[in-house]
Amino acid sequence: MEITLKGDKEIINIPSLKDKALRINLNENIYGTFAEIGAGQETVRQFFRAGGASGTIAKTMSAYDKDFSDAIYGIEDDKRYVTEARLRKMLNHEMSLIEKRITRDKHPNKIFFTYANTVATIDFAKKFKGHGWVGIKYQIEPDQDYNDIVLHIRFKENDARLQQETLGKLGTNLIYGAFYKYNEPRKLLRYLYDHLDKDQLEIDTINFSGPVFEDVDNRLMSLQLVKNNMTDAVMFAPDGNNVLPARVLYKKNILALRGSFRPVTKVNMNMFQKSFDMFVKENRVDPEKTQVVFEITLSNLRAEGEIDEQDFMDRAELLCSLGQTVLISNFQEYYKLVEYFSQYTKSRMGLSMGVNNLVDIFDEKYYRHLSGGILEAFGKLFFKDLRVYLYPMQNDDGTLTTSENLKVHPRMKELYKFFKYNGKVVDINEFDDTILNIFSRTVLKMIANGEDGWEDMLPEGVAKLIKQKSLFGCETEEVIHKE
């Protein structure tokens, strides 16, 4: 019997990679194939080395040559190979081969799986560190429909061999988690980093589907990626589904609006529309290649020190219902958001914000961790052609605060004048002055107190959605009418 002492803390024992692979190999029912393109066959190597693989591995292959790959899986519309569409074709094709070649009457207890990845490792110049799509299609019961786990990764290491080894560890963790942790998808997510470090690999998109994941909300799983520091930001398309940020932002002009959106109000949408109208009139801004992003920082999702996940769901759902793309990020400072966007595009960017947000940007306390202080941050924030579109604030006496009369700290006054003079900060002059007194916090308080009139402060359809789904603690529509 193992000895325990007073004061001992419970430690989770993480199986070694060999133990994970061996457990799967020794299961007489688990049977499948490996298809790995672009970074060697590092995942299947773990299973060969563990021993007992003959009863598990039906086939392993690497269609490295593009012509061979196209002949097997077909040609993508965009002629690219490291894409989600390519990965799903690989999974579906390899699974169909297993079903054709292995008959159920001869192997009634077999549960099939196909693991696949399509990856580009670091380039020779070491400017592009590489990325890839990784996934598994598998069963838990022989007569059950298939489940899918598909994720996108970004490498952080500067050596191709190290990236290959990292991919092999991740793939082993994914296969093991798919079979033995599928009932705890949040833990499965964390276990993907077993024997890995966050500075080796970033997971920025993950999607679960299939019968064992019927109750899994992929948006919440994406939130876990940001919450667990597996990635800096995740994105949701207007249909509410997870989407790869690189796919949406690549070579686009970007207009971003940061806010709490708790809930989204008429002011938010008026700010968006008016700043968008100004942004698309700028030089070198093509409306057809412009992407609007509504961004919520993780710091705005916290309640009493913890992330309120339902609150997150409410905000994202409302914004998506308005046809907007939503970004959830770890970026407290604006310059980090701009740096993030600059990974994907060199085109023109714009930030739409209110007066209070701009005043905060000129507060030195947010930049004390930078060796260059606020000047370093502003060098990153206002690089190239970035422009701030400032929405006015109505004061208690009815006057407006704009870029012409807002007050920053005396030490920042000349710096502010510099950016204002050079056209980096411009006012949104065409706005709806009848809604300037609408604030999200006021709406939220009215909803909580059961007051009337808050519906008129929100964009069309939003109030109805809040009532129907009882968002932000709102009672259902029927209860409200009864009261």
Side-chain angles (χ1 to χ4, degrees), residues 378-440:
F378 278 24
K380 297 175 179 179
L381 176 62
F382 289 104
F383 94 111
K384 241 182 158 186
D385 293 327
L386 184 132
R387 181 164 288 171
V388 171
Y389 299 92
L390 190 66
Y391 198 77
M393 180 178 71
Q394 189 175 56
N395 303 311
D396 293 338
D397 60 1
T399 60
L400 297 179
T401 298
T402 67
S403 68
E404 300 292 341
N405 60 357
L406 72 80
K407 291 181 173 56
V408 298
H409 193 282
R411 285 200 301 270
M412 296 294 106
K413 190 175 294 185
E414 296 304 317
L415 185 63
Y416 171 73
K417 286 182 180 179
F418 170 80
F419 288 111
K420 170 64 178 170
Y421 178 79
N422 284 281
K424 297 295 186 181
V425 180
V426 295
D427 285 307
I428 299 174
N429 292 317
E430 295 184 11
F431 54 89
D432 186 349
D433 56 6
T434 65
I435 61 174
L436 290 179
N437 60 346
I438 296 177
F439 298 96
S440 293

Side-chain angles (χ1 to χ4, degrees), residues 461-472:
V462 172
K464 183 177 180 181
L465 190 61
I466 289 176
K467 292 177 180 180
Q468 285 178 342
K469 300 204 173 185
S470 302
L471 305 182
F472 302 110

Side-chain angles (χ1 to χ4, degrees), residues 326-422:
V326 181
L327 186 78
I328 307 296
S329 82
N330 259 331
F331 310 125
Q332 185 173 6
E333 299 90 357
Y334 270 103
Y335 77 87
K336 291 184 178 178
L337 178 63
V338 173
E339 277 189 311
Y340 176 78
F341 288 149
S342 66
Q343 295 180 93
Y344 306 114
T345 183
K346 301 302 177 187
S347 301
R348 197 157 208 172
M349 300 182 205
L351 296 174
S352 182
M353 65 181 71
V355 169
N356 289 333
N357 295 98
L358 185 61
V359 172
D360 283 342
I361 285 179
F362 281 85
D363 192 331
E364 289 180 288
K365 70 181 181 183
Y366 294 113
Y367 313 108
R368 288 169 184 161
H369 61 288
L370 296 176
S371 57
I374 194 170
L375 292 179
E376 180 181 342
F378 278 24
K380 297 175 179 179
L381 176 62
F382 289 104
F383 94 111
K384 241 182 158 186
D385 293 327
L386 184 132
R387 181 164 288 171
V388 171
Y389 299 92
L390 190 66
Y391 198 77
M393 180 178 71
Q394 189 175 56
N395 303 311
D396 293 338
D397 60 1
T399 60
L400 297 179
T401 298
T402 67
S403 68
E404 300 292 341
N405 60 357
L406 72 80
K407 291 181 173 56
V408 298
H409 193 282
R411 285 200 301 270
M412 296 294 106
K413 190 175 294 185
E414 296 304 317
L415 185 63
Y416 171 73
K417 286 182 180 179
F418 170 80
F419 288 111
K420 170 64 178 170
Y421 178 79
N422 284 281

Side-chain angles (χ1 to χ4, degrees), residues 107 110 122 138 212 221 223 236 264 267 279 283 319 336 386 410 448 456 467:
H107 303 280
K110 291 289 187 185
I122 193 167
Y138 72 107
V212 301
M221 291 300 104
L223 178 60
F236 306 110
V264 56
V267 170
F279 183 62
N283 292 332
L319 287 169
K336 291 184 178 178
L386 184 132
D456 296 332
K467 292 177 180 180

Side-chain angles (χ1 to χ4, degrees), residues 2-22:
E2 184 181 358
I3 295 174
T4 58
L5 301 176
K6 281 186 177 181
D8 281 348
K9 302 295 183 184
E10 185 178 352
I11 299 175
I12 298 175
N13 291 318
I14 299 175
S16 68
L17 292 170
K18 180 179 179 180
D19 288 343
K20 288 185 175 186
L22 187 60

Side-chain angles (χ1 to χ4, degrees), residues 134-245:
V134 182
I136 183 171
K137 190 179 191 73
Y138 72 107
Q139 298 173 301
I140 295 300
E141 298 291 342
D143 56 349
Q144 187 185 60
D145 288 338
Y146 291 101
N147 309 286
D148 292 334
I149 306 175
V150 171
L151 54 110
H152 182 264
I153 62 173
R154 290 189 173 278
F155 294 111
K156 295 184 178 182
E157 294 166 306
N158 292 315
D159 181 84
R161 182 181 60 83
L162 294 177
Q163 291 182 352
Q164 290 173 346
E165 292 175 358
T166 294
L167 180 63
K169 294 175 182 178
L170 174 75
T172 305
N173 291 335
L174 174 61
I175 296 170
Y176 182 83
F179 283 109
Y180 294 108
K181 298 294 179 183
Y182 67 85
N183 62 323
E184 298 178 292
R186 295 189 189 211
K187 289 186 178 180
L188 187 158
L189 207 60
R190 294 201 303 272
Y191 295 157
L192 292 176
Y193 278 91
D194 285 357
H195 312 291
L196 291 171
D197 201 273
K198 302 278 174 56
D199 59 8
Q200 292 176 272
L201 190 74
E202 174 186 350
I203 302 173
D204 58 5
T205 301
I206 191 163
N207 280 295
F208 298 83
S209 61
V212 301
F213 300 122
E214 283 182 342
D215 297 327
V216 172
D217 189 314
N218 284 313
R219 293 173 299 176
L220 279 180
M221 291 300 104
S222 289
L223 178 60
Q224 301 305 309
L225 294 177
V226 182
K227 181 180 178 181
N228 296 335
N229 294 314
M230 296 177 182
T231 188
D232 288 323
V234 293
M235 183 172 280
F236 306 110
D239 61 7
N241 292 324
N242 298 347
V243 63
L244 184 65

Side-chain angles (χ1 to χ4, degrees), residues 90-134:
M90 294 169 68
L91 292 171
N92 292 334
H93 176 81
E94 298 300 335
M95 185 56 73
S96 68
L97 290 181
I98 295 177
E99 292 181 327
K100 288 177 183 177
R101 295 169 179 173
I102 305 298
T103 59
R104 285 292 183 185
D105 54 351
K106 186 177 179 181
H107 303 280
N109 297 321
K110 291 289 187 185
I111 52 177
F112 297 146
F113 79 91
T114 288
Y115 167 84
N117 64 54
T118 174
V119 172
T121 53
I122 193 167
D123 64 348
F124 184 77
K126 297 188 183 295
K127 290 184 178 180
F128 175 70
K129 290 191 176 182
H131 73 114
W133 286 92
V134 182

